[in-house]
Structures are given as C-alpha cells and as structure tokens.
Amino acid sequence: MEMTEAEVRGRWLRSFRRAERSDLRLVCFPHAGGNANVFQPWAGLLDGATDLLAVCYPGRQDRLLEPCVDQMDVLAERISDVLVPYLDRPIAFFGHSMGASVAYEVTLVLESRYGFTPSVLFVSGHGAPHVSRVELDPDLADDEYLLSRIGALGEVDPVLLRSPKLRELIMPPLRGDLRMLYRYLPREPAKVKAPIVGYLGVEDPTCTTSTVGAWEELTTGGFEVATFPGDHFYLVPEQEQVVAAVTARLG
C-alpha cells in the first residue's frame, strides 16, 4: 500500500522537539554513516520557541532495508520535497560533516525552486565542497581500512569497530554515503542567499579554519566561523557549548 505524505515525511524527518508556540524550526543533517538520533539530546538544550527535527537518510535506523541514496542531487531533491510543508515559518539548517554539504544542496534547491531562504545555514566539521573531496573511491577499499579511517577521526566507540554484528549495520550506509561524497565534485558551486556559520573542532584532522572559511565564497548573506575544543566529533563532548552557540546565533 502506498504511503501517505505524512508517512513519507515521518520516514525522512524525526521530530525530537515541538514547541507549543514555535518561532523557528532547526533541521539537522547527520554525518556520513550517521543517523538522526545523534541530535536527539539537543532537544533539552534548545530555546523554548524552537522545534528540532533531524533528517533520517535511507539505509539506517528503521529505514535499514531501503537502499542508500548515493547521488547528492537526488538526496537533496528528496529532502527538499519533504520539507515543503514546513516552509510556513523560519527554518535553520545544521549539517555536520557530510551533512553540511547535504544541507547546503538542500538550501540551493529551496532557494531556486521555492523561493525560500533558510534563516541560517550552519556547516560543521566540513570544508567547503569546492575545496574538499573524498580522495579514495570507497568501493576500492576494504572494511578494515574504512573503519580505521573513521576511528582516527576521534569520538568513535571502539566497540562499534570491533563488533561483527554492528559492522553489518554500519558498513552499508557508510559506504553509500562515502560513495556519494566521492562523486560529489561541485568545482564551481552556486552561492546561497542564506548566511553561513562555520563550526569546527580545533583538532579535526579532516578540515581547517581555511577550508571551513572557504564557505564564505558560497554565500551572499554573510559568513562567520567559530572553533571548539575537540576533534571531528567535537559536537558530542561540547554539546552544551555548541547548542548554546547555535541558540545565540538564531536569537
């Protein structure tokens, strides 16, 4: 039986916080191989007037049996279509790592197709797409190598990397996401109207203030950058500080 529009939205968007009188919606985009639940703890830290939603990509959580989307334009269009009913009030995007590029591409679609500009586009732990890329084709690397690269990024539980059962769950979406990033080569990307705020951990091995700073070239709405203690997954131990910074910027 075909799903209703509400059921489709429920598969793509997880609602972790619904304010009684919401002034703004914050939509979060997870990292490669990640899932929406990474943002669930933010619900108790956000301002009372802010709704919190997170994107659930296919191939994980209760969408485990769905094939991953490994084309950025297709993924951005599907998410944009799902967001249309939410454009009745201001929206801000927060994308971490791969999620930064996905949020940027969704912003482009919403601005060009629907004339809707997000209040703020937060890009975290990821250099601008025209200066960053995945150098290795994930289809040419074995599981051990890919997991060792992920483990080197920082806040990753070693148990996840050693458990065969957990690997079976982790590897398909991780490979699908890395394949999408490997193919994503916007060497002359368009500018968004939304202001961009770049965040990164000072010990992140994947990006620098320079590569994150290159996001300034992709907006006509203004740019800011801020650093936090920590590595690629700085937003886990620095969660309270990150949410406080996001809330202050939204205010």
Side-chain angles (χ1 to χ4, degrees):
M1 186 172 63
E2 189 172 341
M3 288 190 293
T4 66
E5 291 185 7
E7 289 173 330
V8 171
R9 290 198 298 271
R11 294 184 75 80
W12 280 96
L13 294 173
R14 302 302 152 92
S15 178
F16 294 133
R17 189 177 196 277
R18 183 172 296 177
E20 185 175 343
R21 295 182 179 179
S22 172
D23 294 330
L24 179 141
R25 294 181 172 116
L26 177 63
V27 181
C28 299
F29 297 74
H31 56 280
N35 63 64
N37 286 351
V38 69
F39 294 104
Q40 188 171 14
W42 288 27
L45 301 172
L46 282 167
D47 177 83
T50 303
D51 291 344
L52 174 64
L53 301 100
V55 176
C56 179
Y57 308 127
R60 61 217 79 194
Q61 295 182 269
D62 58 353
R63 307 188 71 184
L64 194 63
L65 298 181
E66 297 181 46
C68 296
V69 178
D70 57 10
Q71 294 176 272
M72 183 67 80
D73 58 339
V74 174
L75 183 62
E77 289 188 5
R78 290 184 182 176
I79 295 172
S80 299
D81 289 344
V82 168
L83 285 172
V84 170
Y86 296 89
L87 304 185
D88 60 335
R89 67 190 66 176
I91 291 179
F93 290 155
F94 186 103
H96 180 65
S97 197
M98 177 192 82
S101 287
V102 180
Y104 160 74
E105 290 292 337
V106 170
T107 299
L108 285 174
V109 174
L110 293 181
E111 290 187 346
S112 63
R113 186 175 300 173
Y114 299 102
F116 182 90
T117 297
S119 302
V120 187
L121 169 59
F122 294 95
V123 291
S124 165
H126 196 61
H130 61 301
V131 300
S132 304
R133 64 166 297 180
V134 174
E135 298 294 341
L136 174 68
D137 183 346
D139 292 331
L140 301 179
D142 60 23
D143 290 356
E144 291 293 336
Y145 179 78
L146 292 179
L147 288 171
S148 68
R149 291 288 296 270
I150 297 300
L153 297 181
E155 287 279 329
V156 179
D157 188 343
V159 174
L160 295 178
L161 306 182
R162 292 196 302 266
S163 169
K165 290 185 178 181
L166 289 175
R167 285 190 182 195
E168 290 180 10
L169 299 177
I170 294 170
M171 291 312 301
L174 178 60
R175 283 188 176 279
D177 291 348
L178 292 178
R179 187 180 300 117
M180 179 178 71
L181 288 174
Y182 179 73
R183 297 171 176 173
Y184 178 57
L185 301 171
R187 290 298 162 231
E188 295 182 3
K191 293 186 178 185
V192 298
K193 298 176 183 177
I196 295 180
V197 177
Y199 289 166
L200 73 154
V202 293
E203 298 175 14
D204 191 335
T206 70
C207 61
T208 64
T209 52
S210 176
T211 58
V212 173
W215 282 101
E216 185 173 12
E217 301 168 25
L218 303 185
T219 177
T220 60
F223 177 77
E224 305 166 36
V225 65
T227 59
F228 296 84
D231 51 39
H232 186 63
F233 294 105
Y234 74 92
L235 72 173
V236 177
E238 298 297 317
Q239 179 176 270
E240 292 187 11
Q241 290 76 10
V242 173
V243 177
V246 168
T247 299
R249 180 59 181 80
L250 294 176

